[in-house]
Every structure is written in structure tokens, then in C-alpha cells.
Amino acid sequence: YRLVQIINNTGIIDQNNCKLGIINDPDGYTNVRQRGSKSSAIVGKVYNGDVVAIISFGNWCKIITSSGISGYMHKSRIVIIK
């Protein structure tokens, strides 16, 4: 995964302790937000089938995308694959 390379380059998390998830949203995409809140500013978008690294898991997950965008998205939009 290109995502693993980005994680290693940014030094955010160790790839061996990283959870990976695939985006699955009825709208076909989900917003990446600055904070874990629906009213928080949107910092990016990810589309169904995109893989994200999950840095912390809760109702709002801290994630990093394959393009290097980091932020939060609701756990209901992510299917854990690793």
C-alpha cells in the first residue's frame, strides 16, 4: 500500500500497530474533518474503496489518507480490514 509508505515517511504511527480501513459510505464518499464533530471544518474527502490508516479508534476515528491528509471521520463510514 502507498499508505504504508506515507505513514512511515510522516512518522505518525508504526505500520505494524496500524489498523487499516476501507471507506464504505452510502453517499459514495465521506468527509475528513479537522476535529471529531459533524460541525467541524472539512479538510478533505475520501471515496468508497479508498484505504485509510486508523491512528485512533472511537466514535470519531483519527485517520490518515493515502494522499497524506489527516483528520477525523465517523466510525460508521469505515470497514476495518487489518
Side-chain angles (χ1 to χ4, degrees):
Y1 287 114
R2 173 172 151 57
L3 186 59
V4 172
Q5 181 181 10
I6 289 170
I7 292 166
N8 286 339
N9 290 344
T10 59
I12 293 174
I13 53 176
D14 178 349
Q15 72 182 22
N16 296 320
N17 296 322
C18 168
K19 288 187 179 184
L20 297 178
I22 293 180
I23 303 309
N24 182 20
D25 190 291
D27 295 327
Y29 71 93
T30 193
N31 294 316
V32 179
R33 298 196 177 266
Q34 188 173 34
R35 301 185 195 282
S37 165
K38 188 175 181 179
S39 62
S40 182
I42 296 168
V43 296
K45 283 187 180 181
V46 287
Y47 296 89
N48 282 357
D50 287 354
V51 176
V52 296
I54 303 165
I55 298 168
S56 64
F57 193 83
N59 283 334
W60 286 88
C61 300
K62 173 81 172 168
I63 60 94
I64 185 168
T65 69
S66 60
S67 60
I69 296 170
S70 64
Y72 292 83
M73 68 177 53
H74 196 269
K75 69 179 181 181
S76 65
R77 306 304 191 224
I78 305 170
V79 176
I80 304 295
I81 58 173
K82 175 193 175 255

